[in-house]
């Protein structure tokens, strides 16, 4: 439930209410709004004594949170959240663009990508060092060597690094080198991993599982928020349907639907969402028109030679052209295609 404090509530009132909430065995999360402070009391709500919260000092009203996800819900926080991580800003009218190869392959490859995507206006560099692959015989990523290459690319260009973490055991290692921890679609419901990134100081990009409902998606985000990490972006990357013309089916209605229910920013991945380079620009533009807060796009110096996902990767010229077209759509919907934020 949400405890809405009066405008006149003092810090002492807030502290007393936090103690009262915790005394009932619930977790207290304080959200400082522009207007007033609210305390989200999260946990098993059927505990006795909850009604006593209403008469606490400085309390205006106590409201239930109807959504199954509590901390992620707009009921709790009506204002949209902005996620910032190094040079990347997503939300609040700024569309953050994360671009780079599916996998980090060599230092030359990742540096060339970083320079090119930065020149075209991306605000972060993506690249997988730990790759979750369908086949155990496919390239699994360069692991720590790949993370070092990403960090070197950040040193040169200033671009924030977005990279995947596939195991709770690797969260500290990946956090050391990156700015945003990507939770891949295959791991959306790996609850121990979600709890582990919930404890990391890094921002998180949570990708939707290809068969997950939106409630399951938002409840997965709730695990991360519940762990204490509020810097979470959602990512629609396509779902599994009967359709086989595209690798996945990219449902853009997710964007406004999710924005009605959560304050968390939503990013779209048109590369995995379509599986075809030739479809990425159109779907990026459509995503921006639908209100997406960010894009994550695969870009490779030579897509024909890519070690993973070359068929959906853009070359540098294609990405440059995509960004030019996207900028015009962003302007038309009163948004800005984010440049790098100075750190
Ligand atoms: C990726 O971003 O390269 C990736 C593996 O994405 P997803 O988890 O959405 O399949
Ligand atoms: Mn990929």
């Amino acid at each position: 439930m949400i405890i809405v404090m009066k405008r006149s509530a003092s810090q002492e009132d807030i502290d007393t209410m936090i103690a009262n909430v915790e005394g009932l065995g619930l977790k207290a999360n304080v959200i400082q709004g522009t207007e007033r402070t609210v305390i989200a009391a999260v946990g098993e709500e059927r505990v006795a004594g909850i009604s006593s919260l209403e008469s606490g000092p400085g309390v205006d009203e106590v409201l239930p949170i109807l959504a199954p996800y509590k901390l992620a819900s707009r009921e709790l926080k009506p204002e949209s959240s902005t996620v910032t991580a190094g040079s990347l800003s997503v939300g609040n009218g700024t569309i953050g663009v994360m671009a780079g190869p599916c996998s980090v392959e060599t230092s030359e490859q990742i540096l060339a990508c970083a320079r090119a995507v930065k020149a075209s206006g991306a605000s972060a560099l993506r690249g997988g060092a730990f790759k979750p692959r369908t086949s155990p015989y496919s390239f699994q990523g360069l692991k720590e060597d790949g993370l070092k290459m990403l960090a070197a690319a950040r040193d040169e260009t200033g671009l924030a690094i977005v990279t995947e973490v596939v195991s709770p055991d690797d969260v500290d290692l990946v956090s050391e080198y990156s700015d945003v921890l990507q939770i891949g679609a295959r791991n959306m419901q790996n609850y121990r991993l979600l709890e582990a990134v919930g404890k990391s100081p890094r921002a998180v990009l949570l990708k939707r599982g290809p068969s997950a409902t939106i409630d399951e998606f938002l409840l997965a985000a709730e695990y991360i928020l519940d762990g204490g990490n509020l810097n979470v972006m959602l990512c629609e990357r396509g779902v599994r349907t009967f359709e086989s013309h595209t690798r996945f089916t990219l449902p853009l209605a997710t964007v406004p639907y999710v924005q009605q229910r959560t304050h968390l920013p939503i990013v779209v991945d048109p590369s995995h969402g379509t599986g075809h380079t030739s479809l990425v620009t159109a779907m990026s533009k459509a995503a921006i028109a639908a209100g997406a807060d960010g894009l994550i796009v695969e870009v490779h110096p030579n897509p024909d030679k890519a070690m993973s996902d070359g068929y959906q990767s853009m070359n540098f010229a294609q990405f440059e052209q995509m960004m030019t077209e996207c900028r015009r759509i962003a302007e038309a919907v009163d948004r800005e295609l984010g440049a790098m934020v100075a750190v």
Side-chain angles (χ1 to χ4, degrees), residues 167-173 193 196:
S167 154
D169 297 338
D170 297 331
V171 169
D172 287 344
L173 176 75
L193 180 59

Side-chain angles (χ1 to χ4, degrees), residues 58-82:
V59 174
D60 190 4
E61 52 182 347
V62 177
L63 303 168
I65 306 176
L66 299 176
Y69 33 89
K70 309 293 178 190
L71 301 174
S73 77
R74 263 214 199 262
E75 293 166 72
L76 176 74
K77 184 169 180 280
E79 308 100 46
S80 300
S81 294
T82 303

Side-chain angles (χ1 to χ4, degrees), residues 288-299:
I288 293 173
D293 298 298
L295 295 173
I296 180 161
V297 180
E298 288 186 338
V299 177

Side-chain angles (χ1 to χ4, degrees), residues 97-140:
V97 179
M98 298 157 253
C102 180
S103 304
V104 181
E105 297 168 3
T106 62
S107 25
E108 293 73 30
Q109 172 241 22
I110 199 68
L111 260 177
C113 279
R115 290 175 189 142
V117 301
K118 178 180 174 178
S120 299
S123 36
L125 176 68
R126 65 144 290 151
F130 289 88
K131 294 303 300 177
R133 303 303 301 278
T134 302
S135 163
Y137 308 118
S138 302
F139 175 57
Q140 301 290 315

Side-chain angles (χ1 to χ4, degrees), residues 102 126 131 247 272 298 308-309 312:
C102 180
R126 65 144 290 151
K131 294 303 300 177
R247 186 178 177 192
H272 292 85
E298 288 186 338
S308 57
D309 289 356
Q312 64 191 32

